Amino acid sequence: NGDIDWSRLKYKSLADLLYQRRDSQTKIVYINSDGKTEQTYSELYSKAVKNAAAMRRLGMKKGDKAVFQFIDNRSYIEAFWACMICGITALPTGVLEDYRSRNVNTEKLAKICGVFGKLYILCDDRSKDDVEFFADANNVDAAVYSVSDYSSEDEEYFCDDNLDFREPCIYLFTSGSTGLPKGVGLSQYKIFARTLGEVQMYNIDSSLSDFNWMTLTHAGGIVWSHFRAVYLDAFQVQADTAVILKEP
């Protein structure tokens, strides 16, 4: 019930926000079936700029599109921020149980890829062979890179204005119950606006502790939880959905 106070926005872009967290010791805790790991925002920044350098070395550049096929939330988040730094639009989609047979899920993923034309698919190391098989079998015009392919320990790259503020920086997709998943493009403007509005309405700050077990392919996971916590420099827990459903 009112206008957003844009004077409270201190960042020119998502990449700039992460840069401002480069010295932050606030933690992200990742929980999956193997246990838990921790990462400070400072460590996330360091990993993101190294991944960005490696992505550029592979030929990925501003204006490209990258489909995400990550089982691991940490790999997803590190790739997301690297893409924001490089100016690459993220297309996170749910991972498939079976990439090698023609089924309703491979058809949906192939349709999503077909809409965007030539693109990249980023995935976990363990699923790279299956994802490459999927791309070849479905005539998807994509280069497939796994975490090891775009990991760098030496080079760094950072830019805070590779993305147009009002153009989509991420697309989030429906389940596709009608056949073709519908994609909603979110710009940096929309992401910041939602977060600023919530901060303004509820007066939340860095004292917030965030626990999320929604998938990061949903706005509730990546925007309402992860991004909001980074924006506030707040502690967050990102738990794998399957772990929580197995033992609530």
Side-chain angles (χ1 to χ4, degrees):
N1 296 325
D3 295 329
I4 294 173
D5 181 6
W6 283 96
S7 68
R8 302 177 67 170
L9 180 62
K10 308 302 181 185
Y11 315 104
K12 63 184 291 187
S13 64
L14 299 187
D16 181 45
L17 167 61
L18 187 63
Y19 179 79
Q20 300 303 326
R21 298 289 175 265
R22 67 193 183 281
D23 296 320
S24 173
Q25 295 305 302
T26 303
K27 290 183 178 180
I28 307 173
V29 175
Y30 302 96
I31 299 175
N32 58 31
S33 58
D34 296 324
K36 71 175 185 178
T37 59
E38 297 182 354
Q39 182 181 49
T40 65
Y41 289 152
S42 177
E43 291 168 338
L44 174 59
Y45 169 80
S46 178
K47 183 65 174 175
V49 295
K50 290 176 180 177
N51 283 355
M55 287 177 179
R56 283 166 54 85
R57 189 174 66 247
L58 291 168
M60 301 176 70
K61 62 187 183 303
K62 177 179 179 179
D64 285 339
K65 308 288 192 299
V67 169
F68 285 12
Q69 281 287 288
F70 291 112
I71 299 170
D72 182 61
N73 283 340
R74 181 167 180 164
S75 296
Y76 174 119
I77 286 173
E78 291 172 349
F80 170 78
W81 288 104
C83 285
M84 296 305 99
I85 291 169
C86 288
I88 297 167
T89 304
L91 312 174
T93 53
V95 297
L96 309 186
E97 292 184 3
D98 179 9
Y99 290 93
R100 292 180 175 267
S101 64
R102 183 170 293 277
N103 56 66
V104 65
N105 292 319
T106 56
E107 290 177 358
K108 288 177 182 178
L109 182 57
K111 287 179 180 178
I112 290 174
C113 294
V115 168
F116 292 93
K118 184 176 178 59
L119 42 71
Y120 295 90
I121 302 179
L122 305 180
C123 62
D124 301 287
D125 290 336
R126 56 182 159 169
S127 59
K128 183 179 181 182
D129 289 345
D130 288 334
V131 174
E132 286 183 326
F133 182 93
F134 156 81
D136 290 340
N138 291 276
N139 298 313
V140 173
D141 187 7
V144 179
Y145 294 128
S146 67
V147 174
S148 294
D149 294 324
Y150 62 81
S151 292
S152 171
E153 294 301 325
D154 302 317
E155 298 177 80
E156 293 185 357
Y157 171 77
F158 179 79
C159 180
D160 61 11
D161 64 354
N162 267 334
L163 285 165
D164 187 298
F165 197 66
R166 290 182 178 267
E167 290 298 317
C169 63
I170 184 171
Y171 280 85
L172 299 173
F173 298 91
T174 63
S175 62
S177 57
T178 59
L180 177 63
K182 300 173 181 65
V184 177
L186 298 181
S187 65
Q188 297 179 93
Y189 170 81
K190 290 180 179 179
I191 293 172
F192 276 121
R194 197 221 73 87
T195 305
L196 279 170
E198 184 178 14
V199 170
Q200 187 174 322
M201 179 173 289
Y202 298 110
N203 198 33
I204 53 178
D205 55 29
S206 60
S207 64
L208 175 82
S209 292
D210 189 297
F211 180 88
N212 173 59
W213 58 278
M214 291 185 68
T215 172
L216 296 178
T217 60
H218 189 282
I222 188 61
V223 179
W224 304 346
S225 171
H226 172 67
F227 176 78
R228 179 184 63 181
V230 176
Y231 181 88
L232 293 170
D233 196 17
F235 171 78
Q236 61 178 292
V237 177
Q238 295 296 331
D240 183 76
T241 304
V243 172
I244 304 302
L245 291 178
K246 184 178 181 180
E247 191 175 349

